[in-house]
Amino acid sequence: MDEIRTHAPKAPSRLRDVTRRLPRWWPLPLCLGLGLAGGLGYGLTTPPQYSATSYVIVVPQRSDPATALGFAQAYGRVVTGSTVLVDAQEDAGVPLAQLRGNVQVATSPDAPMISITGTGTRARDASDIANAVANSLTATGNRNTANTGVRLLVFSPAAVPASPASSSTALSGAVGGSAGGLLGALVLLVRPGHRGRRAGGHAAVPAPAQGIHPAVKEMA
């Protein structure tokens, strides 16, 4: 006897049948849920980041303000150098490599001011890093006052931040949900509907009837 083999439908065919039974707008809630879950997961697993900023001003001693502005730009470039950070790491209480990664420096083109921003997972760490680097820069610059003609002063020390600078878990979830909703809407725009696909397909042509012939009249 010949063996009768039955073939199960392929997985893509089954998946296609399932998606056809779903409403056309199903990608929107799916993408929205995935984006929301991703945003909440990121917010819950990522530790908060705090930031605090200290300001150092360059004061001319026997030079003009333009010279002080130029030295402010120069000192701003050497803040993350080894000389300044080595002296600051003991007061900051963090290793040198971590200290270099947790310090951002900015200068102003209009004022002889240097902003030093420290970041950390704790509020106290952020302010300690910013103040330690500012004090180290001030001490380093003032050792050369006789040659530069300018003096560095801590204009405004960094205060302990009251709230993290990074986004909260709720905000991360909202951003993720918005991104997921936007992606779902784009999928709906580029995805043709089932009805549209059916209507746009080839029209069914009825098969010719078999065994039925029109009557032929005989000519007299």
Side-chain angles (χ1 to χ4, degrees), residues 130-214:
N131 289 328
V133 175
N135 292 331
S136 178
L137 175 64
T138 301
T140 301
N142 289 339
R143 284 196 293 265
N144 300 316
T145 299
N147 299 323
T148 60
V150 296
R151 185 171 180 82
L152 277 67
L153 299 175
V154 177
F155 181 77
S156 176
V160 178
S163 59
S166 58
S167 59
S168 61
T169 302
L171 181 58
S172 299
V175 172
S178 300
L182 178 61
L183 180 60
L186 292 177
V187 171
L188 289 180
L189 290 176
V190 300
R191 177 177 177 266
H194 299 307
R195 296 180 180 178
R197 288 200 298 269
R198 292 175 183 174
H202 297 288
V205 179
Q210 298 180 358
I212 302 176
H213 302 280

Side-chain angles (χ1 to χ4, degrees), residues 70-156:
F71 273 108
Q73 302 291 330
Y75 280 122
R77 296 187 182 94
V78 302
V79 170
T80 55
S82 298
T83 303
V84 176
L85 295 185
V86 166
D87 295 339
Q89 65 175 341
E90 184 176 355
D91 293 336
V94 296
L96 181 60
Q98 181 180 351
L99 181 62
R100 181 175 286 109
N102 290 359
V103 174
Q104 290 83 39
V105 182
T107 58
S108 172
D110 302 322
M113 188 82 69
I114 305 170
S115 66
I116 302 172
T117 301
T119 59
T121 56
R122 296 187 304 177
R124 175 63 65 178
D125 292 342
S127 60
D128 288 346
I129 289 174
N131 289 328
V133 175
N135 292 331
S136 178
L137 175 64
T138 301
T140 301
N142 289 339
R143 284 196 293 265
N144 300 316
T145 299
N147 299 323
T148 60
V150 296
R151 185 171 180 82
L152 277 67
L153 299 175
V154 177
F155 181 77
S156 176

